[in-house]
Amino acid sequence: MFIKDIIKELAILLGLAVVTAFAVNALSPKGIALFGEWDTARGVITARPKDDVVARELEMGDFEAVKEIYDSGAAVFVDARSDEDYSRGHIAGAVSLPVSQAEALMDNFKMDYPAYQMIITYCSGRECEDSHILAQLLLDVGYTDVRVFVDGYPCWEKEGYPVEKSNAVPQ
Amino acid sequence: MLRIIFLGITKSLGKRAFSDSLLELIVRLTLGVVFLFACYHKITDPARFAKVIYGYGLFPASAINLIAIIMPFVELYAGLALVLGIYPRAGAVAVNTMLLAFIISITINLIRGHEFDCGCFSFGGSVHISNMQLLVRDVILFLMGLDVLLFNQGRMWCIRQGR
Protein backbone atom coordinates (compact mmCIF):
# COMPACT_ATOMS: atom_id res chain seq x y z
CA MET A 1 0.00 0.00 0.00
CA PHE A 2 2.93 2.26 0.78
CA ILE A 3 4.15 2.21 -2.84
CA LYS A 4 0.62 2.55 -4.21
CA ASP A 5 0.14 5.72 -2.14
CA ILE A 6 3.38 7.22 -3.38
CA ILE A 7 2.44 6.46 -6.99
CA LYS A 8 -0.88 8.28 -6.49
CA GLU A 9 0.87 11.28 -4.94
CA LEU A 10 3.43 11.26 -7.73
CA ALA A 11 0.71 11.17 -10.39
CA ILE A 12 -0.89 14.29 -8.84
CA LEU A 13 2.46 16.09 -8.67
CA LEU A 14 3.47 15.20 -12.24
CA GLY A 15 -0.01 15.96 -13.57
CA LEU A 16 0.10 19.44 -12.08
CA ALA A 17 3.63 19.96 -13.41
CA VAL A 18 2.74 18.92 -16.97
CA VAL A 19 -0.46 21.01 -17.10
CA THR A 20 1.30 24.09 -15.69
CA ALA A 21 4.29 23.58 -17.98
CA PHE A 22 2.24 23.57 -21.18
CA ALA A 23 0.00 26.42 -19.99
CA VAL A 24 2.96 28.66 -19.09
CA ASN A 25 4.76 27.74 -22.30
CA ALA A 26 1.70 28.64 -24.37
CA LEU A 27 1.18 31.99 -22.64
CA SER A 28 4.79 33.10 -22.11
CA PRO A 29 6.41 35.33 -24.76
CA LYS A 30 9.51 33.19 -24.19
CA GLY A 31 7.62 29.97 -24.93
CA ILE A 32 9.06 27.46 -27.38
CA ALA A 33 7.57 25.14 -30.00
CA LEU A 34 6.83 21.55 -28.97
CA PHE A 35 9.54 20.40 -31.36
CA GLY A 36 12.70 22.31 -32.22
CA GLU A 37 15.04 22.16 -35.18
CA TRP A 38 18.08 20.28 -33.92
CA ASP A 39 19.46 18.98 -37.19
CA THR A 40 22.62 20.94 -38.05
CA ALA A 41 22.33 19.74 -41.65
CA ARG A 42 19.37 22.14 -42.00
CA GLY A 43 21.19 25.18 -40.65
CA VAL A 44 21.64 26.83 -37.26
CA ILE A 45 19.87 24.81 -34.55
CA THR A 46 16.98 26.41 -32.68
CA ALA A 47 14.34 25.50 -30.11
CA ARG A 48 11.98 27.68 -32.19
CA PRO A 49 10.94 30.12 -29.44
CA LYS A 50 8.24 32.73 -30.12
CA ASP A 51 10.99 35.37 -30.32
CA ASP A 52 13.15 33.18 -32.58
CA VAL A 53 16.01 35.01 -34.27
CA VAL A 54 16.92 32.18 -36.63
CA ALA A 55 15.71 33.12 -40.10
CA ARG A 56 16.36 30.35 -42.60
CA GLU A 57 15.99 32.71 -45.57
CA LEU A 58 19.13 34.59 -44.50
CA GLU A 59 21.28 31.49 -44.20
CA MET A 60 24.09 30.57 -46.56
CA GLY A 61 24.94 26.92 -46.04
CA ASP A 62 27.33 26.51 -48.98
CA PHE A 63 30.73 27.66 -47.79
CA GLU A 64 32.16 27.59 -51.33
CA ALA A 65 29.54 30.11 -52.43
CA VAL A 66 30.47 32.25 -49.43
CA LYS A 67 34.13 32.03 -50.43
CA GLU A 68 33.23 33.21 -53.95
CA ILE A 69 31.52 36.29 -52.52
CA TYR A 70 34.52 36.84 -50.26
CA ASP A 71 36.89 36.66 -53.24
CA SER A 72 34.75 39.09 -55.22
CA GLY A 73 35.03 41.64 -52.41
CA ALA A 74 31.33 42.43 -52.68
CA ALA A 75 30.51 41.83 -49.03
CA VAL A 76 31.72 42.96 -45.64
CA PHE A 77 32.18 40.04 -43.29
CA VAL A 78 31.07 40.83 -39.74
CA ASP A 79 32.19 38.69 -36.80
CA ALA A 80 29.48 38.32 -34.14
CA ARG A 81 31.71 36.51 -31.62
CA SER A 82 33.37 38.02 -28.57
CA ASP A 83 36.44 40.28 -28.72
CA GLU A 84 38.56 37.43 -27.35
CA ASP A 85 37.44 34.96 -30.03
CA TYR A 86 37.99 37.60 -32.72
CA SER A 87 41.50 38.28 -31.47
CA ARG A 88 42.35 34.58 -31.47
CA GLY A 89 41.43 34.33 -35.14
CA HIS A 90 38.89 35.63 -37.63
CA ILE A 91 38.15 35.71 -41.35
CA ALA A 92 40.78 37.97 -42.90
CA GLY A 93 39.37 41.48 -43.26
CA ALA A 94 36.29 40.79 -41.12
CA VAL A 95 34.94 43.53 -38.87
CA SER A 96 34.28 42.75 -35.20
CA LEU A 97 30.79 43.52 -33.94
CA PRO A 98 30.22 41.31 -30.88
CA VAL A 99 26.52 40.72 -30.26
CA SER A 100 26.84 41.81 -26.62
CA GLN A 101 28.18 45.24 -27.71
CA ALA A 102 26.51 45.54 -31.09
CA GLU A 103 23.99 48.22 -30.14
CA ALA A 104 26.69 50.42 -28.61
CA LEU A 105 28.99 50.00 -31.63
CA MET A 106 26.27 50.28 -34.27
CA ASP A 107 26.54 54.06 -34.82
CA ASN A 108 30.22 53.78 -35.73
CA PHE A 109 29.48 50.80 -37.96
CA LYS A 110 26.76 52.73 -39.79
CA MET A 111 29.15 55.60 -40.45
CA ASP A 112 31.58 53.19 -42.11
CA TYR A 113 29.16 51.13 -44.19
CA PRO A 114 26.14 52.36 -46.19
CA ALA A 115 22.73 50.70 -45.88
CA TYR A 116 22.99 49.06 -49.31
CA GLN A 117 26.26 47.32 -48.38
CA MET A 118 26.10 43.50 -48.58
CA ILE A 119 26.90 42.12 -45.14
CA ILE A 120 27.67 38.53 -44.19
CA THR A 121 27.59 37.76 -40.47
CA TYR A 122 29.16 34.71 -38.89
CA CYS A 123 29.97 33.21 -35.49
CA SER A 124 31.09 29.75 -34.36
CA GLY A 125 29.02 27.50 -36.59
CA ARG A 126 25.66 25.83 -36.67
CA GLU A 127 25.24 25.57 -32.91
CA CYS A 128 25.71 29.33 -32.51
CA GLU A 129 22.89 31.81 -33.12
CA ASP A 130 24.83 35.03 -32.51
CA SER A 131 25.26 35.55 -36.27
CA HIS A 132 21.46 35.49 -36.59
CA ILE A 133 20.97 37.90 -33.68
CA LEU A 134 23.45 40.29 -35.27
CA ALA A 135 21.83 39.91 -38.69
CA GLN A 136 18.46 40.89 -37.20
CA LEU A 137 20.00 43.93 -35.49
CA LEU A 138 21.55 45.03 -38.80
CA LEU A 139 18.25 44.60 -40.61
CA ASP A 140 16.50 46.56 -37.85
CA VAL A 141 18.82 49.55 -38.30
CA GLY A 142 18.23 49.65 -42.05
CA TYR A 143 20.66 47.32 -43.78
CA THR A 144 18.90 45.59 -46.65
CA ASP A 145 21.31 42.91 -47.83
CA VAL A 146 22.27 40.84 -44.82
CA ARG A 147 23.12 37.14 -44.91
CA VAL A 148 24.35 34.59 -42.39
CA PHE A 149 27.31 32.30 -43.04
CA VAL A 150 26.06 29.38 -40.94
CA ASP A 151 29.27 27.33 -40.79
CA GLY A 152 31.15 30.28 -39.36
CA TYR A 153 34.78 30.61 -38.42
CA PRO A 154 35.56 26.94 -37.56
CA CYS A 155 34.63 25.84 -41.11
CA TRP A 156 36.46 28.77 -42.73
CA GLU A 157 39.63 27.97 -40.81
CA LYS A 158 39.31 24.23 -41.49
CA GLU A 159 39.02 24.86 -45.22
CA GLY A 160 42.27 26.80 -45.15
CA TYR A 161 40.68 30.06 -46.28
CA PRO A 162 42.35 33.38 -45.34
CA VAL A 163 42.35 34.11 -41.62
CA GLU A 164 44.16 36.57 -39.42
CA LYS A 165 44.77 37.17 -35.75
CA SER A 166 44.96 40.47 -33.94
CA ASN A 167 45.96 41.73 -30.53
CA ALA A 168 44.03 44.94 -30.85
CA VAL A 169 40.38 44.66 -31.82
CA PRO A 170 39.38 47.13 -34.56
CA GLN A 171 36.16 48.99 -33.77
CA MET B 1 22.78 7.03 4.93
CA LEU B 2 23.11 10.70 5.86
CA ARG B 3 21.06 10.06 8.97
CA ILE B 4 23.38 7.25 10.06
CA ILE B 5 26.46 9.41 9.45
CA PHE B 6 24.93 12.45 11.17
CA LEU B 7 23.62 10.56 14.18
CA GLY B 8 26.88 8.69 14.45
CA ILE B 9 28.76 11.96 14.60
CA THR B 10 26.40 13.59 17.11
CA LYS B 11 26.30 10.49 19.31
CA SER B 12 30.04 10.14 19.25
CA LEU B 13 30.29 13.75 20.31
CA GLY B 14 27.95 12.92 23.15
CA LYS B 15 25.48 15.68 22.37
CA ARG B 16 22.53 14.67 20.22
CA ALA B 17 21.56 18.19 19.28
CA PHE B 18 18.92 17.39 16.69
CA SER B 19 16.02 15.02 16.79
CA ASP B 20 15.39 12.73 13.81
CA SER B 21 12.46 14.89 12.73
CA LEU B 22 14.48 18.06 12.83
CA LEU B 23 17.20 16.48 10.75
CA GLU B 24 14.62 15.27 8.22
CA LEU B 25 13.20 18.78 8.08
CA ILE B 26 16.61 20.32 7.46
CA VAL B 27 17.45 17.80 4.73
CA ARG B 28 14.02 18.19 3.10
CA LEU B 29 14.07 22.00 3.15
CA THR B 30 17.61 22.08 1.78
CA LEU B 31 16.74 19.72 -1.05
CA GLY B 32 13.52 21.60 -1.80
CA VAL B 33 15.21 24.99 -1.89
CA VAL B 34 17.97 23.64 -4.15
CA PHE B 35 15.37 22.49 -6.69
CA LEU B 36 13.32 25.68 -6.45
CA PHE B 37 16.48 27.65 -7.11
CA ALA B 38 17.44 25.31 -9.98
CA CYS B 39 14.16 25.67 -11.88
CA TYR B 40 13.97 29.47 -12.08
CA HIS B 41 16.34 30.20 -15.00
CA LYS B 42 15.01 27.20 -16.94
CA ILE B 43 11.43 28.47 -16.70
CA THR B 44 12.37 32.02 -17.69
CA ASP B 45 14.48 30.95 -20.69
CA PRO B 46 13.28 27.59 -22.05
CA ALA B 47 14.99 28.08 -25.43
CA ARG B 48 18.38 28.36 -23.75
CA PHE B 49 17.61 25.36 -21.57
CA ALA B 50 16.65 23.35 -24.66
CA LYS B 51 20.04 24.18 -26.13
CA VAL B 52 21.73 22.96 -22.96
CA ILE B 53 19.82 19.66 -23.25
CA TYR B 54 20.92 19.41 -26.89
CA GLY B 55 24.49 19.96 -25.70
CA TYR B 56 24.38 16.81 -23.59
CA GLY B 57 24.25 14.89 -26.88
CA LEU B 58 22.08 12.14 -25.38
CA PHE B 59 18.49 12.93 -26.24
CA PRO B 60 16.54 12.48 -29.49
CA ALA B 61 15.69 15.71 -31.27
CA SER B 62 11.97 15.09 -30.85
CA ALA B 63 12.31 14.97 -27.05
CA ILE B 64 14.52 18.02 -26.43
CA ASN B 65 11.83 20.72 -26.43
CA LEU B 66 9.39 18.59 -24.44
CA ILE B 67 12.03 17.97 -21.76
CA ALA B 68 12.84 21.71 -21.70
CA ILE B 69 9.17 22.60 -21.26
CA ILE B 70 8.21 20.00 -18.65
CA MET B 71 11.27 19.31 -16.51
CA PRO B 72 11.61 22.77 -14.88
CA PHE B 73 8.02 22.51 -13.65
CA VAL B 74 8.62 19.03 -12.23
CA GLU B 75 11.54 20.63 -10.37
CA LEU B 76 9.27 23.46 -9.24
CA TYR B 77 6.49 21.22 -7.92
CA ALA B 78 8.90 18.71 -6.38
CA GLY B 79 10.70 21.57 -4.65
CA LEU B 80 7.41 23.01 -3.38
CA ALA B 81 6.28 19.57 -2.19
CA LEU B 82 9.45 19.20 -0.16
CA VAL B 83 9.49 22.74 1.26
CA LEU B 84 5.78 22.93 2.09
CA GLY B 85 5.57 19.32 3.19
CA ILE B 86 2.77 18.40 0.81
CA TYR B 87 3.34 14.82 -0.36
CA PRO B 88 7.05 14.97 0.50
CA ARG B 89 7.61 11.32 -0.46
CA ALA B 90 6.36 11.98 -4.00
CA GLY B 91 8.57 15.09 -4.09
CA ALA B 92 11.53 12.98 -3.04
CA VAL B 93 10.79 10.31 -5.68
CA ALA B 94 10.54 12.99 -8.40
CA VAL B 95 13.73 14.69 -7.29
CA ASN B 96 15.64 11.41 -7.08
CA THR B 97 14.42 10.26 -10.49
CA MET B 98 15.76 13.49 -12.00
CA LEU B 99 18.99 13.22 -10.02
CA LEU B 100 19.46 9.66 -11.22
CA ALA B 101 19.00 10.86 -14.81
CA PHE B 102 21.56 13.66 -14.22
CA ILE B 103 24.02 11.20 -12.66
CA ILE B 104 23.71 8.80 -15.61
CA SER B 105 24.01 11.64 -18.17
CA ILE B 106 27.06 13.16 -16.50
CA THR B 107 28.71 9.75 -16.12
CA ILE B 108 28.21 8.88 -19.80
CA ASN B 109 29.66 12.23 -20.88
CA LEU B 110 32.57 11.89 -18.46
CA ILE B 111 33.38 8.45 -19.86
CA ARG B 112 33.23 9.57 -23.49
CA GLY B 113 34.96 12.90 -22.80
CA HIS B 114 32.08 14.99 -24.15
CA GLU B 115 32.14 18.67 -23.10
CA PHE B 116 28.78 20.07 -21.99
CA ASP B 117 27.18 22.90 -20.04
CA CYS B 118 25.45 21.50 -16.95
CA GLY B 119 22.79 24.25 -16.99
CA CYS B 120 21.93 23.27 -13.42
CA PHE B 121 21.73 26.65 -11.70
CA SER B 122 22.67 29.02 -14.52
CA PHE B 123 23.53 28.94 -18.21
CA GLY B 124 27.00 29.33 -19.65
CA GLY B 125 28.87 27.85 -16.70
CA SER B 126 29.12 31.01 -14.61
CA VAL B 127 29.82 28.77 -11.62
CA HIS B 128 32.86 26.77 -12.62
CA ILE B 129 32.94 23.31 -11.19
CA SER B 130 34.27 20.18 -12.83
CA ASN B 131 32.06 17.41 -14.13
CA MET B 132 33.39 15.13 -11.38
CA GLN B 133 32.36 17.71 -8.74
CA LEU B 134 28.94 17.86 -10.43
CA LEU B 135 28.66 14.10 -10.11
CA VAL B 136 29.61 14.13 -6.41
CA ARG B 137 27.14 16.94 -5.73
CA ASP B 138 24.31 15.05 -7.42
CA VAL B 139 25.12 11.85 -5.54
CA ILE B 140 24.97 13.77 -2.22
CA LEU B 141 21.61 15.29 -3.23
CA PHE B 142 20.40 11.81 -4.21
CA LEU B 143 21.31 10.47 -0.75
CA MET B 144 19.44 13.40 0.81
CA GLY B 145 16.41 12.47 -1.32
CA LEU B 146 16.61 8.87 -0.09
CA ASP B 147 16.72 10.14 3.47
CA VAL B 148 13.48 12.09 2.97
CA LEU B 149 11.81 9.22 1.12
CA LEU B 150 12.63 6.53 3.68
CA PHE B 151 11.89 8.61 6.78
CA ASN B 152 9.03 6.80 8.54
CA GLN B 153 8.34 8.89 11.65
CA GLY B 154 6.27 12.01 12.16
CA ARG B 155 7.59 14.85 10.02
CA MET B 156 7.91 18.43 11.27
CA TRP B 157 6.45 21.25 9.13
CA CYS B 158 4.47 18.90 6.96
CA ILE B 159 1.06 20.06 5.75
CA ARG B 160 0.10 16.79 4.08
CA GLN B 161 2.28 13.79 4.68
CA GLY B 162 0.25 11.28 2.68
CA ARG B 163 -0.88 7.95 4.09
Side-chain angles (χ1 to χ4, degrees):
Chain A
M1 292 311 286
F2 170 72
I3 291 174
K4 213 172 171 182
D5 290 338
I6 293 182
I7 291 171
K8 271 187 204 165
E9 295 167 11
L10 198 58
I12 294 169
L13 190 146
L14 292 179
L16 278 171
V18 170
V19 169
T20 315
F22 284 114
V24 170
N25 187 61
L27 297 173
S28 166
K30 289 271 189 181
I32 59 177
L34 297 184
F35 302 100
E37 289 176 7
W38 302 107
D39 183 2
T40 50
R42 295 185 62 190
V44 173
I45 57 166
T46 171
R48 292 173 58 218
K50 288 174 188 166
D51 56 354
D52 199 3
V53 291
V54 175
R56 293 273 175 251
E57 65 275 14
L58 301 180
E59 292 189 343
M60 296 189 72
D62 180 357
F63 59 81
E64 287 173 346
V66 175
K67 177 66 164 46
E68 278 177 27
I69 295 175
Y70 178 84
D71 290 337
S72 74
V76 172
F77 282 68
V78 183
D79 193 321
R81 301 172 303 155
S82 66
D83 289 341
E84 292 76 25
D85 286 338
Y86 181 87
S87 299
R88 276 194 285 268
H90 54 265
I91 294 176
V95 177
S96 176
L97 203 53
V99 161
S100 58
Q101 306 165 46
E103 286 186 20
L105 299 173
M106 195 58 82
D107 285 342
N108 283 346
F109 185 85
K110 281 167 72 179
M111 278 192 278
D112 292 338
Y113 301 100
Y116 58 79
Q117 172 70 55
M118 183 201 288
I119 294 171
I120 297 182
T121 64
Y122 70 90
C123 55
S124 307
R126 297 185 182 220
E127 293 180 7
C128 164
E129 62 187 17
D130 286 352
S131 51
H132 272 283
I133 297 172
L134 185 58
Q136 288 301 330
L137 285 172
L138 290 164
L139 288 168
D140 288 347
V141 298
Y143 286 95
T144 54
D145 192 357
V146 182
R147 304 174 199 190
V148 175
F149 170 34
V150 292
D151 289 310
Y153 183 71
C155 165
W156 190 268
E157 187 183 31
K158 189 176 151 217
E159 290 300 316
Y161 296 158
V163 297
E164 59 188 16
K165 296 178 183 179
S166 61
N167 292 324
V169 179
Q171 301 286 313
Chain B
M1 172 75 85
L2 282 176
R3 181 174 310 283
I4 293 166
I5 295 168
F6 183 82
L7 291 179
I9 292 168
T10 52
K11 271 182 180 173
S12 68
L13 289 173
K15 45 182 177 179
R16 189 166 167 174
F18 295 99
S19 69
D20 276 7
S21 294
L22 188 57
L23 178 61
E24 188 274 343
L25 178 65
I26 292 168
V27 170
R28 178 157 52 85
L29 288 183
T30 305
L31 198 59
V33 169
V34 164
F35 272 79
L36 288 179
F37 185 57
C39 74
Y40 177 74
H41 67 294
K42 297 167 190 162
I43 289 173
T44 53
D45 196 349
R48 192 106 188 258
F49 181 47
K51 221 166 169 184
V52 166
I53 297 168
Y54 167 85
Y56 274 78
L58 291 170
F59 305 98
S62 57
I64 291 173
N65 279 32
L66 295 174
I67 295 171
I69 291 168
I70 295 169
M71 203 185 88
F73 284 90
V74 177
E75 290 184 338
L76 173 68
Y77 277 97
L80 285 174
L82 293 170
V83 170
L84 299 177
I86 302 173
Y87 297 150
R89 291 177 306 186
V93 170
V95 155
N96 270 14
T97 306
M98 288 186 285
L99 284 167
L100 196 60
F102 301 154
I103 289 166
I104 292 169
S105 304
I106 294 166
T107 305
I108 291 172
N109 281 338
L110 265 175
I111 290 169
R112 65 180 180 169
H114 179 76
E115 288 286 324
F116 64 97
D117 173 14
C118 159
C120 307
F121 297 100
S122 65
F123 297 129
S126 59
V127 179
H128 294 287
I129 61 172
S130 72
N131 291 341
M132 188 53 82
Q133 286 171 315
L134 266 180
L135 196 60
V136 171
R137 185 186 69 192
D138 284 352
V139 169
I140 291 171
L141 291 173
F142 184 83
L143 293 175
M144 291 168 73
L146 278 185
D147 190 62
V148 174
L149 179 63
L150 300 177
F151 186 73
N152 58 4
Q153 298 167 38
R155 295 176 199 261
M156 294 171 74
W157 180 249
C158 190
I159 297 172
R160 195 177 176 92
Q161 165 129 4
R163 277 177 290 178

